Amino acid sequence: MPTRVCCCCSALRPRYKRLVDNIFPEDPKDGLVKADMEKLTFYAVSAPEKLDRIGSYLAERLSRDVVRHRSGYVLIAMEALDQLLMACHSQSIKPFVESFLHMVAKLLESGEPKLQVLGTNSFVKFANIEEDTPSYHRRYDFFVSRFSAMCHSCHSDPEIRTEIRIAGIRGIQGVVRKTVNDELRATIWEPQHMDKIVPSLLFNMQKIEEVDSRIGPPPSPSAADKEENPAVLAENCFRELLGRATFGNMNNAVRPVFAHLDHHKLWDPNEFAVHCFKIIMYSIQAQYSHHVIQEILGHLDARKKDSPRVRAGIIQVLLEAVAIAAKGSIGPTVLEVFNTLLKHLRLSVEFEANDLQGGSVGSANLNTSTKDNDEKIVQNAIIQTIGFFGSNLPDYQRSEIMMFIMGKVPVFGTSTHTLDISQLGDLGTRRIQIMLLRSLLMVTSGYKAKTIVTALPGSFLDPLLSPSLMEDYELRQLVLEVMHNLMDRHDNRAKLRGIRIIPDVADLKIKREKICRQDTSFMKKNGQQLYRHIYLGCKEEDNVQKNYELLYTSLALITIELANEEVVIDLIRLAIALQDSAIINEDNLSMFHRCGIMALVAAYLNFVSQMIAVPAFCQHVSKVIEIRTMEAPYFLPEHIFREKCMLPKSLEKHDKSLCFLTNKIAESLGGSGYSVERLSVPYVPQVTDEDRLSRRKSIVDTVSIQVDILPNSIPSDDVVSNTEEITFEALKKAIDTSGMEEQEKEKRRLVIEKFQKAPFEEIAAQCESKANLLHDRLAQILELTIRPPPSPSGTLTITSGHAQYQSVPVYEMKFPDLCVY
């Protein structure tokens, strides 16, 4: 019962107190006296200077009723406060607000859930009122702490616990709405507030039974769910909080998320972590996406020594964030993302290598195997993230990333890479090579450059081709696949998948365009380099079926994308050289690999003959394939790459009809207007330092080159004086080569070195001089009359293995075709 005073004392009390006392009935069950409440409201509006006194008196009465547990009068007092607050909008309301907030704080401090919910509801109503001017001295620290504590309520009654948590979330939402929009007010974006608000919301969001794992933005909750479900209400509040974040306070809102996920060990499994960051990425403004990505990268660095599954969980979260941000604003973090990911890729490989080296027998082996599998999960997650991020970048940035990754790939014998591999060892280095090339493969997927020079500049092509000479079939496969991604500008690769004899290439509907001048220049400059790597790649001892398929696809893509008449001739020369190498077998390849090369040559010549549509050429290729089908099916890809294929014991006894003949091809192409002079020059691969880097036997030791000089005129005296004298005994000794192997090797080396390093004009002049000298001496000694050839210069005859090719005038031969390559 409220305290009653006598009539004399009541008349002496201030009017505002009398009006306040009159709104309280004798029985609190009757509720607020509406008539007296209207009088109090009218008085407050008419005399706003009395608002602060009204508020102080109401607060005094409410505090007394709370202590005495008079809940009915507490409800009436709060209802009166709410009505006054909604009715009065003036400058004088600010002192009244202080009394109001003091009363709300009293209710929140009470231990009764009903009063806590009542205070929260009043605060939410207050939060929705827009004040004319901000209050700079007002602070909400207590309310942030109290509402956050209510979000973690552990009341024994589930219904009351849910009610208190919902009240706490709504209170936090009210604080956010009241303070977040005005930067001049005391802000809640300070870390001490965010460290309470964000974990409280996340704690309630964890109660969602089914986490939405879709790529698109999560659906907006319905109004009923917001009021009844703490998880949905917390998620909605979290979205609202992030949507109001600005450039300066974005990081303060995101960092508590990491602390919460770490504390509750939610990175493994990481479904909730992924869900949280999807909400973050879809809620914040697009231009701030890179801040979130930077925070994830920083946290990944901080947890680099954690278990592989924790790191994999963080990387998968990064992938989801990148997937959402990639099409928007990435900001300046592009290289930072890739650099951090490649650093962690190296760390993962290093951890894996250390575990393999430190593994022991018994149960330790099982633990090591489990760790290895976990590290592979980390590595695959990194590669997937790199690929997804890179594939969504614009072309100019993707080119930079390709160069950046390629610069990290270690190559044996060089120090050009920028990745620290000192702790990896050979096994770890191979593993990091594979991982980096897989990353590069992901980045180049879908890349379409207008010209091949843009896709494969010299600064990128040279380091890319270096791993293609490594003695590791998987590395070579990855290099070829990267090349295919960059070469295939018309999406023809899928049509060429699998090495086979295509009956009618027209059925594939190959897309191609006329070769532009830039692509022609590229092939003139880099064609021999590409041919060389294909040639040597075919002769590797550890090739499997996939290697031959990729090599075939490489030849086909070059034909489609980059081949003019000159390139077609070079590719045919390359194919014939591969056929010869399989027959001669100077590299001591197994029978499977020799037959594989023969099958590759057959498949490619069948393809190129139909692409250039020369009937005679197609007829010759078809005839050879038909004969092979009947007599030597192991020379065809459909047979040699089967699991159980009968292999021949030898290839030397096979009939020439099973081989593609240079003279037949030259005759057929010459009749169609092709310049076939170069077909008579055997293809010899270029010798470079890459042979040393790849740790293979140098091609110089396997190629025999013989240079025959034919005479045409009498030399001048000064030339004769500087030339070794040739006599009959010298010629006889030259014919008898027994015991002269070392001298022959030295001469061969000098000739090769000369043709590699000397200028072309000097070589041509010296050849002509020696031809004249030899003509004169032979005529004198043998007393033979030899008519000089009509050509003003000498000719060269080149022998490679068992095949001898006709002499070609020196001045008609291009320098690379001599024996430099």
Side-chain angles (χ1 to χ4, degrees):
M1 294 290 291
T3 303
R4 291 293 180 181
V5 294
C6 64
C7 296
C8 296
C9 295
S10 176
L12 298 176
R13 301 181 70 205
R15 184 182 180 188
Y16 73 89
K17 287 189 177 182
R18 296 198 304 270
L19 292 173
V20 170
D21 289 338
N22 291 338
I23 67 174
F24 290 93
E26 292 187 5
D27 187 355
K29 295 181 180 179
D30 295 337
L32 182 68
V33 180
K34 294 183 179 180
D36 291 326
M37 185 66 215
E38 290 177 359
K39 294 178 182 179
L40 177 62
T41 303
F42 179 77
Y43 177 76
V45 172
S46 302
E49 67 276 3
K50 300 294 185 179
L51 267 175
D52 59 332
R53 298 185 183 183
I54 296 173
S56 299
Y57 185 61
L58 275 171
E60 180 184 343
R61 286 190 61 114
L62 183 138
S63 299
R64 185 170 61 248
D65 292 334
V66 168
V67 172
R68 295 176 181 177
H69 300 286
R70 295 175 175 175
S71 300
Y73 289 113
V74 172
L75 294 175
I76 293 173
M78 289 307 301
E79 185 179 353
L81 282 170
D82 292 341
Q83 291 189 22
L84 288 173
L85 197 64
M86 299 298 293
C88 302
H89 297 282
S90 66
Q91 294 293 333
S92 302
I93 200 175
K94 297 190 180 304
F96 175 73
V97 169
E98 298 302 324
S99 300
F100 170 79
L101 293 177
H102 177 69
M103 287 183 280
V104 172
K106 284 290 183 181
L107 294 178
L108 295 176
E109 285 180 332
S110 68
E112 297 184 23
K114 186 176 181 180
L115 296 182
Q116 291 178 349
V117 173
L118 177 63
T120 301
N121 293 337
S122 295
F123 183 84
V124 172
K125 293 177 182 178
F126 162 71
N128 292 327
I129 297 175
E130 294 185 6
E131 300 181 52
D132 296 333
T133 57
S135 178
Y136 302 110
H137 64 282
R138 191 186 303 157
R139 302 208 39 105
Y140 297 92
D141 299 15
F142 168 79
F143 296 99
V144 170
S145 300
R146 193 60 195 164
F147 288 138
S148 298
M150 292 171 64
C151 289
H152 292 83
S153 174
C154 296
H155 198 279
S156 57
D157 189 337
E159 292 184 1
I160 296 177
R161 179 171 64 243
T162 300
E163 189 177 4
I164 294 175
R165 288 184 179 182
I166 289 177
I169 296 168
R170 293 179 67 240
I172 288 177
Q173 194 173 32
V175 174
V176 171
R177 289 176 178 175
K178 195 64 181 175
T179 62
V180 78
N181 285 332
D182 198 332
E183 295 182 358
L184 297 177
R185 293 176 180 170
T187 179
I188 62 165
W189 293 111
E190 297 173 359
Q192 64 266 28
H193 298 322
M194 286 290 104
D195 289 344
K196 298 174 183 177
I197 292 174
V198 174
S200 300
L201 298 177
L202 296 178
F203 175 77
N204 285 276
M205 288 169 57
Q206 285 178 247
K207 303 305 178 183
I208 297 179
E209 295 181 358
E210 294 181 4
V211 176
D212 185 7
S213 59
R214 290 169 295 189
I215 296 300
S220 298
S222 63
D225 289 338
K226 293 180 183 178
E227 297 296 330
E228 299 176 1
N229 192 333
V232 176
L233 183 62
E235 182 177 318
N236 183 63
C237 182
F238 189 49
R239 284 202 195 96
E240 184 177 348
L241 176 69
L242 294 168
R244 297 173 184 267
T246 60
F247 179 84
N249 47 48
M250 175 61 64
N251 294 341
N252 290 340
V254 175
R255 286 172 184 167
V257 178
F258 294 106
H260 180 82
L261 296 175
D262 290 341
H263 180 71
H264 293 275
K265 299 180 180 179
L266 297 173
W267 294 112
D268 178 33
N270 68 339
E271 287 82 2
F272 180 72
V274 170
H275 180 67
C276 288
F277 277 91
K278 281 185 178 181
I279 293 174
I280 293 173
M281 296 303 295
Y282 281 116
S283 301
I284 62 175
Q285 301 179 44
Q287 62 267 30
Y288 304 145
S289 297
H290 63 278
H291 281 286
V292 179
I293 294 175
Q294 284 179 323
E295 289 297 321
I296 299 175
L297 292 173
H299 193 69
L300 181 60
D301 285 336
R303 304 299 300 271
K304 63 183 179 182
K305 294 185 179 180
D306 281 18
S307 66
R309 290 190 174 272
V310 170
R311 287 182 281 126
I314 299 174
I315 294 169
Q316 288 170 357
V317 168
L318 177 63
L319 172 61
E320 295 294 339
V322 165
I324 298 171
K327 298 184 188 279
S329 172
I330 301 298
T333 62
V334 175
L335 284 179
E336 182 182 353
V337 169
F338 285 96
N339 193 37
T340 302
L341 290 175
L342 292 178
K343 178 178 68 176
H344 284 277
L345 183 61
R346 179 187 62 80
L347 287 174
S348 177
V349 173
E350 184 177 333
F351 292 152
E352 183 181 14
N354 292 338
D355 290 339
L356 288 175
Q357 293 175 0
S360 58
V361 297
S363 61
N365 274 343
L366 181 61
N367 295 332
T368 301
S369 176
T370 303
K371 289 182 179 179
D372 291 344
N373 293 332
D374 291 345
E375 290 297 344
K376 286 182 172 60
I377 295 175
V378 175
Q379 295 161 14
N380 291 331
I382 292 175
I383 291 172
Q384 188 178 6
T385 304
I386 289 175
F388 194 94
F389 196 6
S391 61
N392 283 278
L393 291 175
D395 288 346
Y396 72 93
Q397 281 187 322
R398 205 192 301 199
S399 299
E400 294 177 359
I401 297 304
M402 288 158 51
M403 291 292 301
F404 182 76
I405 297 176
M406 199 64 242
K408 300 282 186 179
V409 178
V411 178
F412 290 109
T414 68
S415 58
T416 55
H417 54 85
T418 59
L419 199 67
D420 182 16
I421 58 172
S422 57
Q423 305 296 325
L424 296 181
D426 288 346
L427 183 62
T429 301
R430 176 190 178 275
R431 184 70 179 164
I432 197 67
Q433 286 173 328
I434 292 175
M435 293 294 106
L436 290 173
L437 287 175
R438 285 180 59 192
S439 303
L440 186 62
L441 180 64
M442 294 285 288
V443 173
T444 56
S445 178
Y447 182 71
K448 296 291 186 296
K450 293 183 179 179
T451 62
I452 195 65
V453 180
T454 306
L456 289 171
S459 56
F460 178 74
L461 180 63
D462 293 339
L464 174 64
L465 291 178
S466 294
S468 71
L469 298 178
M470 294 294 178
E471 295 178 343
D472 189 307
Y473 72 92
E474 190 173 356
L475 284 175
R476 298 196 301 273
Q477 290 175 4
L478 290 170
V479 171
L480 290 173
E481 289 176 333
V482 172
M483 291 283 294
H484 297 170
N485 281 346
L486 298 174
M487 281 186 182
D488 185 20
R489 293 171 288 176
H490 297 90
D491 298 322
N492 292 312
R493 184 171 38 160
K495 304 170 185 176
L496 302 169
R497 187 166 294 144
I499 180 172
R500 63 194 188 280
I501 302 298
I502 303 174
D504 189 356
V505 174
D507 292 340
L508 300 180
K509 297 181 180 179
I510 299 293
K511 298 179 183 177
R512 62 185 307 189
E513 296 178 0
K514 185 178 180 181
I515 309 301
C516 65
R517 180 167 41 179
Q518 292 88 341
D519 292 348
T520 301
S521 300
F522 173 84
M523 288 305 294
K524 286 184 178 179
K525 182 178 180 181
N526 302 294
Q528 294 296 329
Q529 189 177 9
L530 295 176
Y531 306 152
R532 174 180 189 272
H533 284 80
I534 293 175
Y535 180 84
L536 297 178
C538 290
K539 299 169 66 176
E540 290 291 347
E541 298 177 353
D542 60 341
N543 278 342
V544 295
Q545 178 179 349
K546 185 177 179 181
N547 289 88
Y548 291 114
E549 291 178 352
L550 294 173
L551 288 164
Y552 163 75
T553 305
S554 299
L555 291 168
L557 286 176
I558 294 175
T559 305
I560 296 170
E561 299 286 350
L562 303 170
N564 53 17
E565 290 188 4
E566 184 178 351
V567 173
V568 168
I569 296 298
D570 285 337
L571 291 171
I572 295 174
R573 290 175 57 219
L574 173 61
I576 297 300
L578 286 171
Q579 176 181 261
D580 292 344
S581 69
I583 296 174
I584 301 169
N585 197 26
E586 293 180 344
D587 296 288
N588 295 320
L589 296 175
S590 68
M591 186 57 65
F592 168 77
H593 292 97
R594 295 172 70 184
C595 292
I597 294 175
M598 297 290 284
L600 168 65
V601 172
Y604 174 67
L605 289 181
N606 173 70
F607 176 81
V608 72
S609 65
Q610 296 185 55
M611 285 296 295
I612 63 177
V614 177
F617 186 21
C618 294
Q619 184 179 1
H620 172 65
V621 172
S622 299
K623 183 178 179 181
V624 174
I625 292 175
E626 183 179 353
I627 297 175
R628 287 186 178 186
T629 304
M630 301 297 295
E631 301 181 9
Y634 39 78
F635 283 170
L636 298 176
E638 289 83 357
H639 293 266
I640 186 61
F641 296 123
R642 291 189 308 186
E643 291 186 3
K644 297 180 180 180
C645 177
M646 297 297 295
L647 298 176
K649 296 182 179 180
S650 174
L651 300 185
E652 284 71 14
K653 298 181 180 179
H654 282 75
D655 191 84
K656 289 185 178 181
S657 60
L658 295 174
C659 298
F660 301 98
L661 303 178
T662 305
N663 58 346
K664 293 284 188 181
I665 297 175
E667 181 181 349
S668 60
L669 293 179
S672 298
Y674 280 80
S675 179
V676 296
E677 290 81 4
R678 301 181 69 240
L679 275 177
S680 60
V681 181
Y683 172 78
V684 180
Q686 178 184 11
V687 180
T688 68
D689 289 340
E690 288 177 337
D691 292 303
R692 175 182 56 82
L693 300 180
S694 64
R695 301 183 295 186
R696 68 168 73 251
K697 188 178 181 182
S698 174
I699 197 69
V700 175
D701 297 333
T702 62
V703 176
S704 175
I705 300 178
Q706 175 183 348
V707 180
D708 294 337
I709 308 299
L710 298 181
N712 69 343
S713 63
I714 299 176
S716 58
D717 295 336
D718 57 341
V719 175
V720 175
S721 61
N722 293 327
T723 307
E724 178 185 358
E725 183 177 3
I726 300 177
T727 63
F728 183 81
E729 292 296 325
L731 290 175
K732 182 178 179 182
K733 186 181 296 185
I735 295 174
D736 184 14
T737 58
S738 58
M740 301 290 292
E741 293 180 0
E742 294 298 326
Q743 290 85 342
E744 289 297 329
K745 287 184 179 180
E746 181 63 16
K747 288 180 181 180
R748 188 179 307 145
R749 187 189 66 79
L750 293 175
V751 169
I752 294 174
E753 183 177 359
K754 174 181 176 181
F755 276 97
Q756 286 179 333
K757 298 180 179 180
F760 177 78
E761 293 78 9
E762 179 182 338
I763 295 174
Q766 192 166 1
C767 288
E768 183 176 1
S769 174
K770 288 188 176 182
N772 296 337
L773 174 63
L774 185 60
H775 176 275
D776 181 65
R777 290 302 184 186
L778 287 176
Q780 293 179 6
I781 296 173
L782 303 177
E783 296 183 354
L784 296 175
T785 303
I786 303 178
R787 298 178 62 184
S791 171
S793 61
T795 59
L796 296 179
T797 298
I798 303 178
T799 301
S800 175
H802 74 294
Q804 183 169 343
Y805 301 82
Q806 69 182 38
S807 300
V808 180
V810 173
Y811 66 88
E812 291 182 6
M813 297 180 62
K814 295 188 177 180
F815 183 75
D817 296 329
L818 292 173
C819 58
V820 180
Y821 297 97

